[in-house]
Amino acid sequence: MLIQELLSIKSLSGEQKRIIEKTIRFERLTISEGHALYDLDLGILGVVASHINYHKNQGKVYFNKNFHIEPTNICIYNCKFCSYHRKFGEEGSWEYSIDDIIKKVEPYKNSDITEIHIVGGVHPHRDLDYYGSMIKQIKNILPKVHIKAFTAVELDHMIKKAGLNLTEGLIKLKEYGLGSIPGGGAEIFNPEVRKKVCHEKSTAEQWLKIHEAAHNIGLPSNATMLYGHIETHLHRIEHLEKLRQLQDKTNGFNTFIPLKYRKQNNSLSYIGEVNTLEDLKNFAISRIFLNNFNHIKAYWPMLGKDVSQITLSFGVDDIDGTIDDSTKIYSMAGAEDKKPTMKSNEIIDLIKNAGKIPIERDTLYNIIHEY
Ligand code: V47
Ligand code: SF4
């Protein structure tokens, strides 16, 4: 369907047509216009999000060659949606030493991996120098690899513990070899919802401050939103608005990643999960609303390969990386793929079969190879 033809759909109200016209002209939507997008038909949202995505990315879909390290799942917090955290000595807990981590990294010495993604629980006894030294020793083995590590919540804790201000702490980690910051810990910014699902961890303001401080010293980052639990559509749009405002200020975000709440083995299980239609709507609306973000990522280990492929027709231009069976956060929360790994060829086929152009990228979206 040509995007202009949308305006002749009879069931649309005048207000809905006006909002669609704004998106056709790539104009920024207000919070109430963004909220109104949730009342639109999924097919219409797909056409509008694809129009914007094509303008930004010309049919390219990005992936990278990466793996994760989750140094520990021992955590001082108890977020209600988290299936992953454990206390000391509890069954299912782990804490890898730096030597354990080096053993995990060494097999990648002659590989073409470009990124290691490191996140874990907020461990009570580990500190900034411990994690800095971990990064440094990984870089000794893989000097060219980009280290994207530590959610703002982990950073908040380790920087406070070191008695440094945010900028000092982040500079120190950058000197150890930190390349960028992943998007986790954002959850949902609304204070009432945050109080109900993760009252102990860093506030929304602190998450935003940490990302701003990182951008200001040349550390780019990603942004996320945990959706599909007790938040409303308006809470989601308000969350996106806060990200859009910070991006206006710093232009330091690489990509936005909506994270679907998965229900197994956590204290929110009783609310269930949203369906795929809601996932696709949410991806499309994120693409439409975040007009100053270049990239929207569908994280395939969380969504599954099939749904991730469909999101490519709903505004998504990135599906993360090869992973190599190195993350447990989502399999422990009920994601279907218990050993998430995709060979590059499988990712390339998945993208090509969706009618898009596969691009291997590095963490900062420099093109490594176009297929
Ligand atoms: O902050 C925890 C989420 C996040 C559940 O930057 C859950 O490239 C769904 O940050 N259901 C950590 N989500 C993961 C993360 C991430 C993932 C992929 C890519 C990037 C990136 C960052 O995982 C947490 C939380 O929002 N999470 N439990 C759950 N049950
Ligand atoms: Fe800890 Fe992160 Fe789980 Fe919250 S989401 S309990 S901070 S590991």
Side-chain angles (χ1 to χ4, degrees), residues 1 3 6 37 40-54 280-281 283-285 287-288 310-316 356:
M1 180 184 267
I3 184 134
L6 291 179
L37 292 175
L40 284 174
D41 172 276
L42 177 63
I44 294 176
L45 288 171
V47 175
V48 175
S50 296
H51 169 71
I52 294 171
N53 188 18
Y54 196 83
L280 297 176
K281 266 196 166 182
F283 277 99
I285 291 170
R287 175 60 290 166
I288 297 166
I310 299 170
T311 65
L312 303 183
S313 301
F314 290 84
V316 167
K356 310 284 179 189

PDB file of all heavy atoms in Angstrom, residues 1 3 6 37 40-54 280-281 283-285 287-288 310-316 356:
ATOM      1  N   MET A   1       0.851  -1.209   0.000  1.00  0.00           N
ATOM      2  CA  MET A   1       0.000   0.000   0.000  1.00  0.00           C
ATOM      3  C   MET A   1       0.881   1.252   0.000  1.00  0.00           C
ATOM      4  O   MET A   1       1.856   1.335   0.746  1.00  0.00           O
ATOM      5  CB  MET A   1      -0.884  -0.010   1.257  1.00  0.00           C
ATOM      6  CG  MET A   1      -1.791   1.192   1.359  1.00  0.00           C
ATOM      7  SD  MET A   1      -2.722   1.165   2.906  1.00  0.00           S
ATOM      8  CE  MET A   1      -4.212   0.335   2.398  1.00  0.00           C
ATOM      9  N   ILE A   3       1.794   4.886   1.035  1.00  0.00           N
ATOM     10  CA  ILE A   3       1.471   5.498   2.322  1.00  0.00           C
ATOM     11  C   ILE A   3       0.354   6.542   2.204  1.00  0.00           C
ATOM     12  O   ILE A   3      -0.529   6.617   3.041  1.00  0.00           O
ATOM     13  CB  ILE A   3       2.737   6.052   3.003  1.00  0.00           C
ATOM     14  CG1 ILE A   3       2.390   6.593   4.379  1.00  0.00           C
ATOM     15  CG2 ILE A   3       3.474   7.090   2.203  1.00  0.00           C
ATOM     16  CD1 ILE A   3       3.307   6.176   5.425  1.00  0.00           C
ATOM     17  N   LEU A   6      -3.297   5.503   2.641  1.00  0.00           N
ATOM     18  CA  LEU A   6      -3.841   5.305   3.990  1.00  0.00           C
ATOM     19  C   LEU A   6      -4.891   6.355   4.305  1.00  0.00           C
ATOM     20  O   LEU A   6      -5.866   6.110   5.000  1.00  0.00           O
ATOM     21  CB  LEU A   6      -2.728   5.419   5.044  1.00  0.00           C
ATOM     22  CG  LEU A   6      -1.667   4.332   5.121  1.00  0.00           C
ATOM     23  CD1 LEU A   6      -0.670   4.678   6.214  1.00  0.00           C
ATOM     24  CD2 LEU A   6      -2.328   2.998   5.441  1.00  0.00           C
ATOM     25  N   LEU A  37      -1.702   6.589  18.704  1.00  0.00           N
ATOM     26  CA  LEU A  37      -1.276   5.574  17.725  1.00  0.00           C
ATOM     27  C   LEU A  37      -1.744   4.178  18.143  1.00  0.00           C
ATOM     28  O   LEU A  37      -1.982   3.308  17.302  1.00  0.00           O
ATOM     29  CB  LEU A  37       0.254   5.558  17.591  1.00  0.00           C
ATOM     30  CG  LEU A  37       0.928   6.774  16.945  1.00  0.00           C
ATOM     31  CD1 LEU A  37       2.448   6.637  17.015  1.00  0.00           C
ATOM     32  CD2 LEU A  37       0.489   6.947  15.491  1.00  0.00           C
ATOM     33  N   LEU A  40      -4.725   2.706  16.420  1.00  0.00           N
ATOM     34  CA  LEU A  40      -4.693   2.422  14.977  1.00  0.00           C
ATOM     35  C   LEU A  40      -4.546   0.926  14.728  1.00  0.00           C
ATOM     36  O   LEU A  40      -3.958   0.194  15.521  1.00  0.00           O
ATOM     37  CB  LEU A  40      -3.524   3.162  14.311  1.00  0.00           C
ATOM     38  CG  LEU A  40      -3.699   4.661  14.088  1.00  0.00           C
ATOM     39  CD1 LEU A  40      -2.396   5.269  13.569  1.00  0.00           C
ATOM     40  CD2 LEU A  40      -4.832   4.940  13.113  1.00  0.00           C
ATOM     41  N   ASP A  41      -5.051   0.531  13.573  1.00  0.00           N
ATOM     42  CA  ASP A  41      -4.949  -0.842  13.114  1.00  0.00           C
ATOM     43  C   ASP A  41      -3.469  -1.223  12.927  1.00  0.00           C
ATOM     44  O   ASP A  41      -2.654  -0.402  12.490  1.00  0.00           O
ATOM     45  CB  ASP A  41      -5.703  -0.827  11.780  1.00  0.00           C
ATOM     46  CG  ASP A  41      -5.577  -2.080  11.005  1.00  0.00           C
ATOM     47  OD1 ASP A  41      -4.582  -2.235  10.274  1.00  0.00           O
ATOM     48  OD2 ASP A  41      -6.489  -2.881  11.132  1.00  0.00           O
ATOM     49  N   LEU A  42      -3.115  -2.469  13.239  1.00  0.00           N
ATOM     50  CA  LEU A  42      -1.716  -2.909  13.149  1.00  0.00           C
ATOM     51  C   LEU A  42      -1.150  -2.738  11.724  1.00  0.00           C
ATOM     52  O   LEU A  42       0.007  -2.337  11.546  1.00  0.00           O
ATOM     53  CB  LEU A  42      -1.606  -4.379  13.590  1.00  0.00           C
ATOM     54  CG  LEU A  42      -0.226  -5.003  13.483  1.00  0.00           C
ATOM     55  CD1 LEU A  42       0.778  -4.307  14.409  1.00  0.00           C
ATOM     56  CD2 LEU A  42      -0.281  -6.503  13.815  1.00  0.00           C
ATOM     57  N   GLY A  43      -1.986  -3.043  10.728  1.00  0.00           N
ATOM     58  CA  GLY A  43      -1.509  -2.929   9.333  1.00  0.00           C
ATOM     59  C   GLY A  43      -1.112  -1.494   9.007  1.00  0.00           C
ATOM     60  O   GLY A  43      -0.081  -1.241   8.360  1.00  0.00           O
ATOM     61  N   ILE A  44      -1.910  -0.543   9.464  1.00  0.00           N
ATOM     62  CA  ILE A  44      -1.611   0.875   9.204  1.00  0.00           C
ATOM     63  C   ILE A  44      -0.301   1.253   9.905  1.00  0.00           C
ATOM     64  O   ILE A  44       0.579   1.894   9.319  1.00  0.00           O
ATOM     65  CB  ILE A  44      -2.780   1.764   9.689  1.00  0.00           C
ATOM     66  CG1 ILE A  44      -4.021   1.473   8.845  1.00  0.00           C
ATOM     67  CG2 ILE A  44      -2.400   3.241   9.647  1.00  0.00           C
ATOM     68  CD1 ILE A  44      -5.265   2.203   9.265  1.00  0.00           C
ATOM     69  N   LEU A  45      -0.160   0.823  11.149  1.00  0.00           N
ATOM     70  CA  LEU A  45       1.078   1.141  11.889  1.00  0.00           C
ATOM     71  C   LEU A  45       2.295   0.558  11.174  1.00  0.00           C
ATOM     72  O   LEU A  45       3.351   1.187  11.100  1.00  0.00           O
ATOM     73  CB  LEU A  45       1.000   0.587  13.315  1.00  0.00           C
ATOM     74  CG  LEU A  45       0.058   1.325  14.253  1.00  0.00           C
ATOM     75  CD1 LEU A  45      -0.101   0.559  15.565  1.00  0.00           C
ATOM     76  CD2 LEU A  45       0.568   2.749  14.523  1.00  0.00           C
ATOM     77  N   GLY A  46       2.125  -0.650  10.613  1.00  0.00           N
ATOM     78  CA  GLY A  46       3.236  -1.294   9.901  1.00  0.00           C
ATOM     79  C   GLY A  46       3.652  -0.472   8.687  1.00  0.00           C
ATOM     80  O   GLY A  46       4.851  -0.282   8.439  1.00  0.00           O
ATOM     81  N   VAL A  47       2.673   0.043   7.948  1.00  0.00           N
ATOM     82  CA  VAL A  47       2.993   0.837   6.743  1.00  0.00           C
ATOM     83  C   VAL A  47       3.705   2.133   7.162  1.00  0.00           C
ATOM     84  O   VAL A  47       4.731   2.511   6.581  1.00  0.00           O
ATOM     85  CB  VAL A  47       1.705   1.152   5.924  1.00  0.00           C
ATOM     86  CG1 VAL A  47       2.018   2.072   4.751  1.00  0.00           C
ATOM     87  CG2 VAL A  47       1.080  -0.137   5.422  1.00  0.00           C
ATOM     88  N   VAL A  48       3.177   2.795   8.184  1.00  0.00           N
ATOM     89  CA  VAL A  48       3.765   4.078   8.599  1.00  0.00           C
ATOM     90  C   VAL A  48       5.182   3.854   9.163  1.00  0.00           C
ATOM     91  O   VAL A  48       6.127   4.566   8.803  1.00  0.00           O
ATOM     92  CB  VAL A  48       2.862   4.776   9.655  1.00  0.00           C
ATOM     93  CG1 VAL A  48       3.523   6.037  10.172  1.00  0.00           C
ATOM     94  CG2 VAL A  48       1.495   5.091   9.067  1.00  0.00           C
ATOM     95  N   ALA A  49       5.329   2.836  10.013  1.00  0.00           N
ATOM     96  CA  ALA A  49       6.654   2.574  10.612  1.00  0.00           C
ATOM     97  C   ALA A  49       7.652   2.186   9.515  1.00  0.00           C
ATOM     98  O   ALA A  49       8.819   2.593   9.553  1.00  0.00           O
ATOM     99  CB  ALA A  49       6.545   1.463  11.657  1.00  0.00           C
ATOM    100  N   SER A  50       7.199   1.424   8.520  1.00  0.00           N
ATOM    101  CA  SER A  50       8.107   1.011   7.436  1.00  0.00           C
ATOM    102  C   SER A  50       8.527   2.208   6.592  1.00  0.00           C
ATOM    103  O   SER A  50       9.674   2.283   6.146  1.00  0.00           O
ATOM    104  CB  SER A  50       7.438  -0.040   6.545  1.00  0.00           C
ATOM    105  OG  SER A  50       7.202  -1.191   7.314  1.00  0.00           O
ATOM    106  N   HIS A  51       7.586   3.141   6.394  1.00  0.00           N
ATOM    107  CA  HIS A  51       7.889   4.378   5.645  1.00  0.00           C
ATOM    108  C   HIS A  51       9.038   5.132   6.338  1.00  0.00           C
ATOM    109  O   HIS A  51      10.013   5.534   5.707  1.00  0.00           O
ATOM    110  CB  HIS A  51       6.604   5.206   5.608  1.00  0.00           C
ATOM    111  CG  HIS A  51       6.748   6.607   5.132  1.00  0.00           C
ATOM    112  ND1 HIS A  51       7.002   6.917   3.811  1.00  0.00           N
ATOM    113  CD2 HIS A  51       6.648   7.794   5.799  1.00  0.00           C
ATOM    114  CE1 HIS A  51       7.061   8.245   3.687  1.00  0.00           C
ATOM    115  NE2 HIS A  51       6.851   8.792   4.878  1.00  0.00           N
ATOM    116  N   ILE A  52       8.916   5.267   7.651  1.00  0.00           N
ATOM    117  CA  ILE A  52       9.942   6.003   8.405  1.00  0.00           C
ATOM    118  C   ILE A  52      11.254   5.209   8.420  1.00  0.00           C
ATOM    119  O   ILE A  52      12.336   5.758   8.207  1.00  0.00           O
ATOM    120  CB  ILE A  52       9.435   6.280   9.840  1.00  0.00           C
ATOM    121  CG1 ILE A  52       8.262   7.242   9.751  1.00  0.00           C
ATOM    122  CG2 ILE A  52      10.543   6.830  10.736  1.00  0.00           C
ATOM    123  CD1 ILE A  52       7.504   7.446  11.039  1.00  0.00           C
ATOM    124  N   ASN A  53      11.136   3.908   8.629  1.00  0.00           N
ATOM    125  CA  ASN A  53      12.338   3.064   8.683  1.00  0.00           C
ATOM    126  C   ASN A  53      13.068   3.088   7.341  1.00  0.00           C
ATOM    127  O   ASN A  53      14.302   3.165   7.294  1.00  0.00           O
ATOM    128  CB  ASN A  53      11.925   1.630   9.046  1.00  0.00           C
ATOM    129  CG  ASN A  53      13.113   0.726   9.310  1.00  0.00           C
ATOM    130  OD1 ASN A  53      14.224   1.202   9.543  1.00  0.00           O
ATOM    131  ND2 ASN A  53      12.904  -0.571   9.253  1.00  0.00           N
ATOM    132  N   TYR A  54      12.303   3.043   6.244  1.00  0.00           N
ATOM    133  CA  TYR A  54      12.953   3.058   4.931  1.00  0.00           C
ATOM    134  C   TYR A  54      13.699   4.375   4.723  1.00  0.00           C
ATOM    135  O   TYR A  54      14.821   4.408   4.226  1.00  0.00           O
ATOM    136  CB  TYR A  54      11.941   2.807   3.799  1.00  0.00           C
ATOM    137  CG  TYR A  54      12.694   2.448   2.539  1.00  0.00           C
ATOM    138  CD1 TYR A  54      13.130   1.138   2.311  1.00  0.00           C
ATOM    139  CD2 TYR A  54      13.054   3.429   1.617  1.00  0.00           C
ATOM    140  CE1 TYR A  54      13.897   0.817   1.211  1.00  0.00           C
ATOM    141  CE2 TYR A  54      13.821   3.122   0.508  1.00  0.00           C
ATOM    142  CZ  TYR A  54      14.234   1.812   0.309  1.00  0.00           C
ATOM    143  OH  TYR A  54      15.001   1.497  -0.778  1.00  0.00           O
ATOM    144  N   LEU A 280       4.124  -6.234  18.038  1.00  0.00           N
ATOM    145  CA  LEU A 280       4.359  -5.579  16.741  1.00  0.00           C
ATOM    146  C   LEU A 280       3.910  -4.118  16.789  1.00  0.00           C
ATOM    147  O   LEU A 280       4.584  -3.224  16.280  1.00  0.00           O
ATOM    148  CB  LEU A 280       3.637  -6.338  15.623  1.00  0.00           C
ATOM    149  CG  LEU A 280       4.146  -7.776  15.409  1.00  0.00           C
ATOM    150  CD1 LEU A 280       3.305  -8.491  14.349  1.00  0.00           C
ATOM    151  CD2 LEU A 280       5.622  -7.813  15.011  1.00  0.00           C
ATOM    152  N   LYS A 281       2.775  -3.877  17.435  1.00  0.00           N
ATOM    153  CA  LYS A 281       2.297  -2.489  17.596  1.00  0.00           C
ATOM    154  C   LYS A 281       3.340  -1.666  18.322  1.00  0.00           C
ATOM    155  O   LYS A 281       3.654  -0.533  17.971  1.00  0.00           O
ATOM    156  CB  LYS A 281       1.020  -2.472  18.456  1.00  0.00           C
ATOM    157  CG  LYS A 281      -0.241  -2.506  17.662  1.00  0.00           C
ATOM    158  CD  LYS A 281      -1.431  -2.088  18.535  1.00  0.00           C
ATOM    159  CE  LYS A 281      -2.607  -1.813  17.630  1.00  0.00           C
ATOM    160  NZ  LYS A 281      -3.796  -1.369  18.325  1.00  0.00           N
ATOM    161  N   PHE A 283       6.591  -2.154  18.623  1.00  0.00           N
ATOM    162  CA  PHE A 283       7.784  -1.871  17.805  1.00  0.00           C
ATOM    163  C   PHE A 283       7.476  -0.751  16.820  1.00  0.00           C
ATOM    164  O   PHE A 283       8.261   0.189  16.654  1.00  0.00           O
ATOM    165  CB  PHE A 283       8.239  -3.135  17.057  1.00  0.00           C
ATOM    166  CG  PHE A 283       9.092  -4.031  17.906  1.00  0.00           C
ATOM    167  CD1 PHE A 283       8.558  -5.145  18.539  1.00  0.00           C
ATOM    168  CD2 PHE A 283      10.440  -3.756  18.101  1.00  0.00           C
ATOM    169  CE1 PHE A 283       9.337  -5.960  19.346  1.00  0.00           C
ATOM    170  CE2 PHE A 283      11.233  -4.568  18.909  1.00  0.00           C
ATOM    171  CZ  PHE A 283      10.675  -5.669  19.533  1.00  0.00           C
ATOM    172  N   ALA A 284       6.314  -0.847  16.150  1.00  0.00           N
ATOM    173  CA  ALA A 284       5.977   0.154  15.129  1.00  0.00           C
ATOM    174  C   ALA A 284       5.844   1.541  15.768  1.00  0.00           C
ATOM    175  O   ALA A 284       6.376   2.535  15.244  1.00  0.00           O
ATOM    176  CB  ALA A 284       4.673  -0.246  14.436  1.00  0.00           C
ATOM    177  N   ILE A 285       5.174   1.612  16.911  1.00  0.00           N
ATOM    178  CA  ILE A 285       4.965   2.914  17.561  1.00  0.00           C
ATOM    179  C   ILE A 285       6.298   3.486  18.046  1.00  0.00           C
ATOM    180  O   ILE A 285       6.548   4.694  17.939  1.00  0.00           O
ATOM    181  CB  ILE A 285       3.918   2.779  18.696  1.00  0.00           C
ATOM    182  CG1 ILE A 285       2.548   2.519  18.064  1.00  0.00           C
ATOM    183  CG2 ILE A 285       3.883   4.021  19.591  1.00  0.00           C
ATOM    184  CD1 ILE A 285       1.445   2.124  19.030  1.00  0.00           C
ATOM    185  N   ARG A 287       9.140   3.047  16.603  1.00  0.00           N
ATOM    186  CA  ARG A 287       9.804   3.558  15.388  1.00  0.00           C
ATOM    187  C   ARG A 287       9.213   4.928  14.980  1.00  0.00           C
ATOM    188  O   ARG A 287       9.944   5.850  14.612  1.00  0.00           O
ATOM    189  CB  ARG A 287       9.667   2.539  14.249  1.00  0.00           C
ATOM    190  CG  ARG A 287      10.196   2.953  12.876  1.00  0.00           C
ATOM    191  CD  ARG A 287      11.681   3.297  12.828  1.00  0.00           C
ATOM    192  NE  ARG A 287      11.986   4.554  13.522  1.00  0.00           N
ATOM    193  CZ  ARG A 287      13.208   4.956  13.867  1.00  0.00           C
ATOM    194  NH1 ARG A 287      14.251   4.231  13.623  1.00  0.00           N
ATOM    195  NH2 ARG A 287      13.388   6.108  14.505  1.00  0.00           N
ATOM    196  N   ILE A 288       7.886   5.031  15.094  1.00  0.00           N
ATOM    197  CA  ILE A 288       7.234   6.269  14.654  1.00  0.00           C
ATOM    198  C   ILE A 288       7.556   7.408  15.631  1.00  0.00           C
ATOM    199  O   ILE A 288       7.866   8.527  15.231  1.00  0.00           O
ATOM    200  CB  ILE A 288       5.702   6.055  14.541  1.00  0.00           C
ATOM    201  CG1 ILE A 288       5.388   5.008  13.462  1.00  0.00           C
ATOM    202  CG2 ILE A 288       4.988   7.377  14.248  1.00  0.00           C
ATOM    203  CD1 ILE A 288       3.956   4.473  13.493  1.00  0.00           C
ATOM    204  N   ILE A 310       9.359 -11.016  11.661  1.00  0.00           N
ATOM    205  CA  ILE A 310       8.152 -10.238  11.305  1.00  0.00           C
ATOM    206  C   ILE A 310       8.323  -8.766  11.714  1.00  0.00           C
ATOM    207  O   ILE A 310       7.853  -7.864  11.023  1.00  0.00           O
ATOM    208  CB  ILE A 310       6.892 -10.860  11.955  1.00  0.00           C
ATOM    209  CG1 ILE A 310       6.707 -12.294  11.453  1.00  0.00           C
ATOM    210  CG2 ILE A 310       5.642 -10.045  11.636  1.00  0.00           C
ATOM    211  CD1 ILE A 310       5.640 -13.082  12.207  1.00  0.00           C
ATOM    212  N   THR A 311       9.039  -8.511  12.826  1.00  0.00           N
ATOM    213  CA  THR A 311       9.199  -7.106  13.255  1.00  0.00           C
ATOM    214  C   THR A 311       9.899  -6.265  12.182  1.00  0.00           C
ATOM    215  O   THR A 311       9.764  -5.043  12.178  1.00  0.00           O
ATOM    216  CB  THR A 311      10.024  -6.970  14.566  1.00  0.00           C
ATOM    217  OG1 THR A 311      11.364  -7.423  14.329  1.00  0.00           O
ATOM    218  CG2 THR A 311       9.407  -7.710  15.732  1.00  0.00           C
ATOM    219  N   LEU A 312      10.624  -6.932  11.270  1.00  0.00           N
ATOM    220  CA  LEU A 312      11.335  -6.181  10.222  1.00  0.00           C
ATOM    221  C   LEU A 312      10.357  -5.469   9.284  1.00  0.00           C
ATOM    222  O   LEU A 312      10.742  -4.571   8.550  1.00  0.00           O
ATOM    223  CB  LEU A 312      12.273  -7.105   9.424  1.00  0.00           C
ATOM    224  CG  LEU A 312      13.317  -7.860  10.265  1.00  0.00           C
ATOM    225  CD1 LEU A 312      14.233  -8.685   9.383  1.00  0.00           C
ATOM    226  CD2 LEU A 312      14.131  -6.899  11.137  1.00  0.00           C
ATOM    227  N   SER A 313       9.082  -5.881   9.316  1.00  0.00           N
ATOM    228  CA  SER A 313       8.048  -5.155   8.554  1.00  0.00           C
ATOM    229  C   SER A 313       7.278  -4.187   9.456  1.00  0.00           C
ATOM    230  O   SER A 313       6.242  -3.646   9.065  1.00  0.00           O
ATOM    231  CB  SER A 313       7.067  -6.144   7.928  1.00  0.00           C
ATOM    232  OG  SER A 313       7.769  -7.017   7.083  1.00  0.00           O
ATOM    233  N   PHE A 314       7.756  -3.979  10.679  1.00  0.00           N
ATOM    234  CA  PHE A 314       7.080  -3.065  11.615  1.00  0.00           C
ATOM    235  C   PHE A 314       8.071  -2.070  12.222  1.00  0.00           C
ATOM    236  O   PHE A 314       7.984  -1.719  13.388  1.00  0.00           O
ATOM    237  CB  PHE A 314       6.345  -3.882  12.699  1.00  0.00           C
ATOM    238  CG  PHE A 314       5.159  -4.615  12.131  1.00  0.00           C
ATOM    239  CD1 PHE A 314       5.326  -5.841  11.508  1.00  0.00           C
ATOM    240  CD2 PHE A 314       3.894  -4.042  12.132  1.00  0.00           C
ATOM    241  CE1 PHE A 314       4.248  -6.509  10.926  1.00  0.00           C
ATOM    242  CE2 PHE A 314       2.809  -4.696  11.563  1.00  0.00           C
ATOM    243  CZ  PHE A 314       2.986  -5.925  10.957  1.00  0.00           C
ATOM    244  N   GLY A 315       9.024  -1.641  11.397  1.00  0.00           N
ATOM    245  CA  GLY A 315       9.894  -0.540  11.809  1.00  0.00           C
ATOM    246  C   GLY A 315      11.252  -0.939  12.357  1.00  0.00           C
ATOM    247  O   GLY A 315      12.077  -0.077  12.671  1.00  0.00           O
ATOM    248  N   VAL A 316      11.504  -2.247  12.501  1.00  0.00           N
ATOM    249  CA  VAL A 316      12.772  -2.688  13.107  1.00  0.00           C
ATOM    250  C   VAL A 316      13.856  -2.813  12.035  1.00  0.00           C
ATOM    251  O   VAL A 316      13.602  -3.318  10.943  1.00  0.00           O
ATOM    252  CB  VAL A 316      12.547  -4.047  13.831  1.00  0.00           C
ATOM    253  CG1 VAL A 316      13.866  -4.706  14.201  1.00  0.00           C
ATOM    254  CG2 VAL A 316      11.692  -3.819  15.069  1.00  0.00           C
ATOM    255  N   LYS A 356      14.877  -7.837   3.007  1.00  0.00           N
ATOM    256  CA  LYS A 356      15.749  -6.724   3.422  1.00  0.00           C
ATOM    257  C   LYS A 356      17.213  -7.039   3.109  1.00  0.00           C
ATOM    258  O   LYS A 356      17.553  -8.162   2.738  1.00  0.00           O
ATOM    259  CB  LYS A 356      15.611  -6.488   4.936  1.00  0.00           C
ATOM    260  CG  LYS A 356      14.207  -6.379   5.443  1.00  0.00           C
ATOM    261  CD  LYS A 356      13.587  -5.050   5.131  1.00  0.00           C
ATOM    262  CE  LYS A 356      12.160  -4.993   5.654  1.00  0.00           C
ATOM    263  NZ  LYS A 356      11.433  -3.831   5.211  1.00  0.00           N
TER     264      LYS A 356
END
